Amino acid sequence: MFRTPWVRAAVAGLTCAVLTGPAAGCGSDDDGTRTAGEVRTDRTDDEGRPYREVPEEDAPEIGVVVQPDEARAGGWDVRIRVRNFRLTPESSPKGSPADAVRGRGYARLYLDGRPLASLRTTAYRLPPTRLARGTHHLTARLYADDHTVWAVDGEPVEATADLTASGAEPSPGASTVG
């Protein structure tokens, strides 16, 4: 029916987007048949999650971009960009961990080293009430669906952006992280 490769690819991409929606993570991959790395029991993140070591040539990558959101009374728009990785939708019932599949999972955001949010999409809005005046570090780290940390050479796959809050102090009683 479709004779040229680029037409077949375009139709396949549109079909995937229409049938499953953007959160399903369509695209070409090997259906997770390659190894999902080696779980290291000697390394964990601050929350006790073990590292899942993968070779550098197969490793996922992440970047984080933070921009002020002046249109909505302050705050910041956070965007993550991933390579060799697919954000998977929440698919397993609570309390039932999913299997780790190579190059798939979710991202966690940390603000000044404290957990902020889990992401299964590329966008997050950080409200202005979450930050005190000053410079802060926002880190995005990749996790497998079994909650292990994707790692290369003993280091987590993550990216950090600095942002500076120069507006008014948060209202009394407001948490700066949490």
Side-chain angles (χ1 to χ4, degrees):
M1 179 170 156
F2 300 107
R3 297 173 195 236
T4 61
W6 67 270
V7 170
R8 279 193 303 267
V11 169
L14 287 172
T15 301
C16 183
V18 169
L19 293 177
T20 60
C26 294
S28 64
D29 65 14
D30 63 357
D31 294 322
T33 57
R34 291 179 282 180
T35 180
E38 178 183 341
V39 175
R40 294 183 57 177
T41 57
D42 62 325
R43 297 291 309 262
T44 63
D45 67 2
D46 291 339
E47 297 171 277
R49 294 184 172 116
Y51 285 15
R52 178 173 293 281
E53 191 77 31
V54 292
E56 186 173 358
E57 63 270 7
D58 294 334
E61 299 175 28
I62 189 167
V64 61
V65 176
V66 182
Q67 296 180 330
D69 182 1
E70 303 296 332
R72 291 198 274 175
W76 290 264
D77 285 325
V78 178
R79 301 268 181 211
I80 60 169
R81 294 195 173 114
V82 293
R83 176 186 260 181
N84 298 331
F85 193 76
R86 181 174 295 166
L87 294 164
T88 56
E90 186 73 47
S91 59
S92 62
K94 297 287 183 203
S96 167
D99 292 332
V101 176
R102 180 174 175 247
R104 295 186 186 181
Y106 63 98
R108 290 198 56 162
L109 292 179
Y110 294 87
L111 183 60
D112 297 329
R114 294 186 182 112
L116 178 66
S118 292
L119 301 180
R120 292 191 180 266
T121 65
T122 59
Y124 179 78
R125 182 166 187 284
L126 180 60
T129 57
R130 300 297 292 242
L131 297 177
R133 187 177 306 169
T135 300
H136 301 274
H137 308 289
L138 184 70
T139 300
R141 182 179 300 151
L142 294 179
Y143 288 81
D145 286 320
D146 68 351
H147 310 295
T148 53
V149 182
W150 290 108
V152 175
D153 295 327
E155 297 297 324
V157 176
E158 63 183 22
T160 300
D162 292 338
L163 58 123
T164 301
S166 58
E169 288 290 325
S171 59
S175 170
T176 58
V177 178

